[in-house]
Amino acid sequence: MTWNAWLFEAKSIQGYLFSSGRLRDIVGGSELVESLTGELLDDVLEAMQEREAITFSRRAGGAIYALSEDPAPLRRLADLWALAVQQHAPGLRLETGWGTGQTPLEAFDAARDEMQGQGGRLRPERPATPPVATRSRRTGGAAVAWDNKDGPVDAATRARKSHADASRAGLVGRIGPAGVDLGWRNWPLDLEGDFPFRGEDRTVALLHADGNGFGQLLRNARRAAERDPARFPELFRQLSEAIGRTTESAVQTAVAEVLLPEQDERGMLPARPIVVGGDDITFLVRADLAMPFLQRFATAFEAASREALAELARAGITGEDLPEALTVGAGCVFMRASQPFSMAHELAEDLTDHAKRAGKAGEPVVSTVAFHRVTTALAGGYDAVLARELTDTWEGVRYRQTLEAYAIGPAAGRELPELEDLMGLQAVMERPAMAGGAARELLTLIGMDPSQAGMRYRRWRQIARRDPEQRPILNGFDSYMERLMPGFKPDSSELPFGPGAEERKTPLGDVLALKAVGSRSEQGGQGQHERGEETA
């Protein structure tokens, strides 16, 4: 028996969504991509009238894995799909692959090999852009229509705009908590009139989170399929659906517990989902709620994944190297609403990769986050930001104003600073008796003259020890600094940086970033602060 497989994957989805930089277009793009494996695929299958002849092991997250014993209907689907996607989502990068084999797994492998071979091949964009063509002001693509607000727009932007129709609520329909009446009217479509900011503060956070462990699950599913090749479509479908349910459940929990209490009088939520698919999410969130939203999402994701992994174990997708729960790595960019999303999303993805490496650098793997507050022009990745904005070098030693990545929840024996401890330090430094500009002045002085910075720091400590109001704050400060940096020495005359011969780090720059955006912990930071003072 010969099996046939056809694979489709949308590529560079984030770049496609953010290319014009306008929130309404991003929303339309997310709904457009959402509709690919739902509404559009259903329409194509209905037009073919051969739905029963094709088996899908995956149809979600911009990917389709289709198998059939008869190659004819699969060929027709592949041909019709190429035309449909080009018309439905012009400008979207895509890859496809075809393969045959004696089992569904062999056919899938052959199709995967062909698709990976296309990875470096660029497809021509339509319409072509001659030198005399009018171009979209936001993307530079050939203009095909006129928009009253943006002027000339390219084909991809026009398609995204058409899907920003509020009646298209495929994505937001999946993430509304059960029993709560949330619809498209509750999610903002633009940052100018819809988004519920806090007073005059127009700071937002672009948050991206990606699951850890999905690759290991795929390998385990593959081993199970090798033992029973006929079960390949069923196993991969179960895996895809279990991970999708885990992510959606975690988002629903974060929406219910963090966003719903912050609805304004119109019922508008202070966030906008961009991508929720597979094991990753991208959200635009009001800046002060970004960390609480991420904390709640990560803990809910881990809890929901325990149930999903138990379900997959019963299906035979298991192994000794399978963790008890899945974790996430997240990147968060704090920025003004007027700054370009197209570059911020690249930094958010880079921060996510940075956080994931820290979370997976030891055992057990833990959920982590890396964040950055944009105060200059966006340029380059996180390594460039670290070197250019967050590091000062004196006498051959690099002084870095961030600890870079933080564990979300207990670090479980890992040598990683914990986000809750950072929130506790933030709460300490926001006490009225704490000199508001001391930390900022200290970091500024380090960039100019470390000796002056050291004198200023020692003087602050001397005053705080003698002042009954500031002494508990100093104790809380030292307690949290010791937790965040085990090598920190409170009574030394050195600067408040961790140990190191070539590089020394401090969390003070991270505290200033969170203070600047009004960030609050999941419990407001007060409980952690009180525990810090009790143990000091």
Side-chain angles (χ1 to χ4, degrees):
M1 180 184 298
T2 301
W3 280 84
N4 305 274
W6 171 74
L7 312 183
F8 161 84
E9 289 184 2
K11 296 295 182 181
S12 302
I13 292 176
Q14 300 279 352
Y16 180 77
L17 298 181
F18 287 95
S19 60
S20 77
R22 189 180 292 280
L23 179 58
R24 185 176 291 268
D25 297 345
I26 296 170
V27 170
S30 66
E31 292 293 348
L32 186 153
V33 173
E34 177 82 7
S35 70
L36 286 179
T37 56
E39 176 186 341
L40 182 63
L41 181 55
D42 286 338
D43 289 345
V44 170
L45 292 172
E46 184 177 349
M48 291 173 53
Q49 297 184 347
E50 293 178 300
R51 183 189 298 263
E52 301 302 322
I54 300 172
T55 299
F56 293 95
S57 62
R58 186 182 183 191
R59 50 172 298 180
I64 299 171
Y65 299 165
L67 299 110
S68 177
E69 295 179 65
D70 183 356
L74 209 55
R75 285 291 186 189
R76 284 192 286 273
L77 172 60
D79 293 341
L80 188 55
W81 186 252
L83 177 62
V85 171
Q86 289 181 49
Q87 293 180 337
H88 188 73
L92 179 66
R93 283 190 57 196
L94 57 93
E95 291 177 2
T96 61
W98 181 277
T100 60
Q102 296 304 305
T103 66
L105 180 58
E106 287 183 8
F108 174 84
D109 285 342
R112 170 66 74 180
D113 289 342
E114 181 179 289
M115 186 167 68
Q116 290 177 342
Q118 298 180 10
R121 189 177 73 181
L122 295 177
R123 299 173 183 267
E125 291 189 9
R126 302 297 184 195
T129 311
V132 296
T134 300
R135 294 175 179 266
S136 168
R137 298 165 185 168
R138 288 181 170 271
T139 67
V144 299
W146 181 270
D147 181 80
N148 289 334
K149 190 168 188 177
D150 291 337
V153 296
D154 58 282
T157 302
R158 181 177 65 174
R160 289 193 291 270
K161 286 180 179 295
S162 70
H163 280 73
D165 180 356
S167 64
R168 297 178 180 270
L171 175 55
V172 299
R174 288 194 291 114
I175 63 174
V180 179
D181 185 18
L182 280 183
W184 58 266
R185 291 181 177 86
N186 302 108
W187 299 93
L189 278 172
D190 67 68
L191 293 174
E192 297 174 3
D194 285 352
F195 205 93
F197 289 104
R198 291 189 310 160
E200 298 301 316
D201 185 359
R202 297 177 60 82
T203 309
V204 295
L206 187 61
L207 178 65
H208 181 66
D210 190 11
N212 298 314
F214 190 50
Q216 184 59 54
L217 284 174
L218 286 173
R219 288 189 288 272
N220 289 349
R222 181 182 179 82
R223 286 197 293 267
E226 288 172 347
R227 294 191 295 269
D228 189 355
R231 291 187 63 209
F232 168 77
E234 173 194 353
L235 290 170
F236 270 61
R237 183 173 59 252
Q238 286 182 305
L239 175 57
S240 177
E241 292 174 353
I243 295 300
R245 286 196 304 271
T246 296
T247 303
E248 289 178 20
S249 172
V251 170
Q252 290 167 1
T253 299
V255 169
E257 299 185 14
V258 178
L259 299 184
L260 274 177
E262 296 291 332
Q263 279 183 296
D264 67 4
E265 64 280 359
R266 303 166 299 170
M268 197 68 73
L269 296 167
R272 182 74 210 193
I274 307 300
V275 173
V276 178
D279 63 339
D280 70 321
I281 67 167
T282 302
F283 259 75
L284 189 69
V285 185
R286 202 174 70 196
D288 62 305
L289 300 175
M291 290 297 112
F293 184 88
L294 175 60
Q295 288 173 300
R296 198 64 197 95
F297 169 77
T299 54
F301 184 87
E302 292 187 29
S305 71
R306 287 186 174 90
E307 299 179 10
L309 291 175
E311 174 188 328
L312 294 174
R314 289 191 293 270
I317 304 174
T318 186
E320 294 181 357
D321 50 1
L322 199 63
E324 292 183 2
L326 300 180
T327 58
V328 298
C332 182
V333 177
F334 295 107
M335 57 189 292
R336 294 187 301 276
S338 59
Q339 291 181 295
F341 293 122
S342 56
M343 298 185 70
H345 94 269
E346 296 177 3
L347 179 56
E349 290 185 328
D350 207 13
L351 285 162
T352 301
D353 291 341
H354 197 85
K356 286 171 71 74
R357 285 194 296 271
K360 296 190 291 187
E363 292 293 339
V365 176
V366 297
S367 292
T368 47
V369 60
F371 60 88
H372 177 64
R373 175 174 172 250
V374 176
T375 57
T376 62
L378 282 166
Y382 187 52
D383 287 341
V385 169
L386 282 173
R388 184 178 63 247
E389 301 180 33
L390 301 174
T391 304
D392 298 298
T393 302
W394 284 92
E395 297 180 354
V397 179
R398 295 188 299 274
Y399 291 87
R400 187 154 284 178
Q401 300 173 13
T402 174
L403 298 187
E404 302 179 27
Y406 292 85
I408 305 171
R414 294 283 309 280
E415 292 185 2
L416 270 174
E418 296 182 13
L419 182 60
E420 276 301 313
D421 287 335
L422 181 69
M423 296 291 191
L425 179 60
Q426 177 193 351
V428 167
M429 298 184 70
E430 288 178 341
R431 285 291 186 94
M434 177 76 174
R440 187 176 301 280
E441 180 184 354
L442 180 65
L443 294 177
T444 300
L445 284 172
I446 290 170
M448 297 186 298
D449 187 346
S451 62
Q452 289 293 323
M455 292 174 59
R456 177 69 181 86
Y457 174 63
R458 290 190 292 274
R459 178 61 177 162
W460 170 73
R461 295 188 66 89
Q462 290 171 0
I463 294 173
R465 286 194 195 98
R466 295 195 297 264
D467 188 333
E469 291 188 17
Q470 291 198 44
R471 191 181 307 119
I473 295 176
L474 177 62
N475 293 338
F477 175 86
D478 289 344
S479 175
Y480 279 113
M481 291 290 281
E482 288 177 316
R483 296 186 204 180
L484 291 163
M485 300 183 302
F488 174 72
K489 299 177 181 179
D491 296 325
S492 75
S493 61
E494 296 184 358
L495 290 168
F497 282 72
E502 298 181 355
E503 182 176 276
R504 303 179 63 188
K505 300 179 181 181
T506 183
L508 294 184
D510 297 324
V511 168
L512 290 177
L514 294 182
K515 285 181 62 179
V517 301
S519 183
R520 12 181 176 149
S521 71
E522 194 175 356
Q523 292 81 28
Q526 185 63 31
Q528 283 282 352
H529 175 211
E530 290 172 351
R531 287 194 296 274
E533 289 189 356
E534 290 170 1
T535 58

